[in-house]
Amino acid sequence: MMNDMNDAPSAQTPPILSVRALSKVFDISGGLLDQLALKDGRLRRVKTTVKALNRVTFDIAPGETFSVVGESGCGKSTLGRTVIGLYPPNGGEVYYGGQRIDVLSPRQMLPFRRRMQMVFQDPYASLNPRKRVAAILEEPLRFHHPELTAREVGDRVKEVMEQVGGDVQWLTRLPHEFSGGQRQRISIARALVVDPEFIVADEPISALDVSIQAQILNLMMDAREQRGLTYMFIAHDLSVVAHISTRVAVMYLGSLCEVAPAETLFAAPRHPYTQALLSAIPRLGKKKSGHVRLKGEVPTPIHLPTGCVFHGRCRYADERCVREIPELLEKDGGTHVACHGVAEERI
Amino acid sequence: MSVLLQVEDLTVNFALRTGDLTALNGVSFALNEGERLGLVGESGAGKSVAGFAIINLISKPGYIAGGRVLFQGEEISALPQEAIRRIRGNRISMVFQDPMMTLNPVLTIGTQMVETLQAHRDIGPSEAAAIAADKLRKVHIPSPEKRLRQYPHEFSGGMRQRIIIAVALLNDPQLIIADEPTTALDVTIQAEIMDLFLELCEQSRMGLMLITHDLAVVSETTEKIAVMYAGKIVEEGRTGDVVRSPRHPYTQGLIAALPQGEHRGTRLNQIPGTMPTLTRIPPGCSFHPRCPHVMAVCARREPASLPVDYPGGGQGVVACHLFDPQRHDE
Ligand SMILES: Nc1ncnc2c1ncn2[C@@H]1O[C@H](COP(=O)(O)OP(=O)(O)O)[C@@H](O)[C@H]1O
Ligand SMILES: Nc1ncnc2c1ncn2[C@@H]1O[C@H](COP(=O)(O)OP(=O)(O)O)[C@@H](O)[C@H]1O
Ligand code: SF4
Ligand SMILES: [Mg+2]
Ligand SMILES: [Mg+2]
């Protein structure tokens, strides 16, 4: 049912996750009084909405580390949360293992809540400060596996604690007694303890120092190997993304610009925005050399530009770009690009 | 080339209930006129404390416990507050990560820039406004005269950082100390701000002390690097030398931990453990519990800063017993 979608990115194996034309809008109108505005001499009620995701389409194959990159506010976290069911979408579909999940009731969603886990950027905010680590890890396990005995729960918790490089002594302590890196290990343990298949990791290392980032990335890569996990990895550090990803999706203002195998993307970015983004990455041991300068600034997702959302900043934009939204089209090497210029082969 | 800034054995303590805590432990380095130096290290290493200590802006419970700072040959660490205040924002400017540390949200950009100018110079408002507009032009802010009448919130994050730089430029400083100036910014904006720093330094032979945790940013923009760990500079040298052939085991570990586009998908080199908090600095070399080359002497004695040679002939300084020629005596 998904394969006959026109222009949908296709992976070789059946995808573990498929997202089709996913849209998410936040209503930020506020109270009734805030919504009133004078228009053409009459008082009207005006809704203000943030178009956080616009018809986002992609597939993730089992075992992939699929990264989502883009500048802050482009919709990465919203995408992760909508995919995993924390936010209801306003349009489009999400399939997990071939089954449509965005329409499920909370009860029907239950088994998927175990199979899909999320790790957040801020290990400080995402761990309950009043709970001991043991309770933080046991709770989701008991919830998803009521059949386990107390002893089995304890064994599983210890096992996962060891896997994340923690210590059984951590279990009796409270979150504030740990460093940022240790807390992130605990968040990962909490995700792993229910034995998931798919993890959305939203900037899991952004708050950590370099030497600790490497520890957490290694831990995540090891866990992927040992448990056959699939990741959707949200990040803004492009060097890290280049290192760990199988494929990368580049977002701008809630839309996908380009989806490509990591190696291809970093070697030969196609979309003008991807080109600008990659040229700006600071590189160790390189002299600063000219990066692609973008004119203007990112527009707000409240008033989306017409046509290609990037057209106001793009040096290749023409009249069609202003008028028509470009579709994500497949190019060679498994790359998908949403750009008229690339489609017309003038870029 | 004459020396612009010379920092000698600078030490900063924080007086806490439980006793004194050393946040900056005998830091020494020098910067020539028009030179760019990167001060790098992980959070809590003491980078910001170093920046503040140079311009004597350490506030209680902190105090400068030792060492001195010479700026253009003058011992500014010995000056009374009144005199150092005339240097700050004038011959030495600071740029912070958060523009709102510099900008007042309820005043227009123009008002703030004119005030800053008049605090240091005896000039009238129209002359000051003309200088302010000129500095905005220098940082590539379009229609500066109009922008001067706007408030900080009317600018995007990247634009606000440009304004901060324009404020720092007002009195044509010889040195800018920039503390994580691009850390809060997206990568495309970061690249533009770093371009701007480079351009400004080259235009007017201004010195730059760039404080950041980001080695890649430092490696692209500076000529010298000083690497900090637990309140000390553990390695200092020419940027290219240190990045290509780091000598201190900590610098080596830090650089190896960065993904650099090779060996995609493989495990990264990781430094075990974490940097100690100031209350628990290990004896001897503070890096020894994490060091792959640790020797018996490392836990006993604090290593001195020793000269090292880099391949290609560059010279630097490393605080590590591995480079002590007398080490085998122990
Ligand atoms: N809960 C929310 N309510 C209203 N607006 C939101 C909410 N979450 C995100 N947004 C807006 O949606 C856009 C995308 O945000 P986000 O997904 O957090 O971006 P990113 O993770 O890429 O930084 C932004 O404009 C943001 O302000
Ligand atoms: N006002 C203060 N009181 C006590 N300790 C402080 C104070 N300011 C900084 N420190 C300590 O000094 C150390 C160095 O801090 P800082 O220079 O901000 O690090 P960096 O900028 O490298 O992240 C930290 O361990 C911090 O806890
Ligand atoms: S579609 Fe047009 S405006 Fe958009 S990126 Fe391509 S060329 Fe630029
Ligand atoms: Mg986010
Ligand atoms: Mg700091």
Side-chain angles (χ1 to χ4, degrees), chain A residues 22-34:
Chain A
L22 197 66
S23 294
K24 177 68 195 169
V25 174
F26 293 108
D27 189 337
I28 53 162
S29 313
L32 183 61
L33 280 179
D34 299 322

Side-chain angles (χ1 to χ4, degrees), chain A residues 199-225:
Chain A
I199 294 181
V200 174
D202 189 356
E203 311 247 12
I205 60 163
S206 301
L208 306 174
D209 278 312
V210 171
S211 73
I212 312 301
Q213 287 189 355
Q215 295 174 3
I216 299 298
L217 286 174
N218 283 343
L219 163 59
M220 289 184 65
M221 290 192 283
D222 291 346
R224 178 183 62 191
E225 201 111 306

Side-chain angles (χ1 to χ4, degrees), chain A residues 26-28 50-52 70-79 87 202-203 234 251 301:
Chain A
F26 293 108
D27 189 337
I28 53 162
V50 175
K51 286 91 186 164
E71 305 198 44
S72 56
C74 74
K76 303 180 296 297
S77 296
T78 304
L79 178 61
Y87 291 156
D202 189 356
E203 311 247 12
I234 296 170
M251 274 182 94

Side-chain angles (χ1 to χ4, degrees), chain A residues 252-253 271 295 299 304-324 326 340:
Chain A
Y252 182 82
L253 213 56
H271 193 285
K295 53 182 175 176
L304 275 191
T306 57
C308 170
V309 285
F310 187 59
H311 82 249
R313 311 188 71 197
C314 180
R315 54 181 164 163
Y316 305 106
D318 65 10
E319 170 276 328
R320 185 182 175 200
C321 304
V322 179
R323 182 168 39 83
E324 188 186 328
H340 296 310

Side-chain angles (χ1 to χ4, degrees), chain A residues 71-72 209-212 214-215 217-218 221-222 242-243 262-263 277 280 282-286 288 291 293 297, chain B residues 42-43 156 159 186-188 190-192 195 216 219-220 243 259 263-268 270-271 273-274 290:
Chain A
E71 305 198 44
S72 56
D209 278 312
V210 171
S211 73
I212 312 301
Q215 295 174 3
L217 286 174
N218 283 343
M221 290 192 283
D222 291 346
H243 186 80
E263 219 150 326
L277 188 67
R283 289 171 208 272
L284 196 67
K286 300 265 157 56
K288 201 155 177 19
H291 57 95
R293 280 169 184 270
E297 303 199 335
Chain B
E42 299 182 59
S43 56
S156 68
M159 285 293 237
D186 280 315
V187 59
T188 55
Q190 165 170 284
E192 282 169 20
D195 271 356
S219 86
E220 281 193 338
V243 166
H263 315 296
R264 188 169 294 221
T266 57
R267 297 184 102 249
L268 293 160
Q270 64 181 57
I271 307 178
T274 48
R290 306 177 72 188

Side-chain angles (χ1 to χ4, degrees), chain B residues 12-29:
Chain B
V12 174
N13 286 355
F14 286 96
L16 303 180
R17 271 173 293 122
T18 44
D20 269 20
L21 219 63
T22 301
L24 203 63
N25 184 1
V27 161
S28 303
F29 63 88

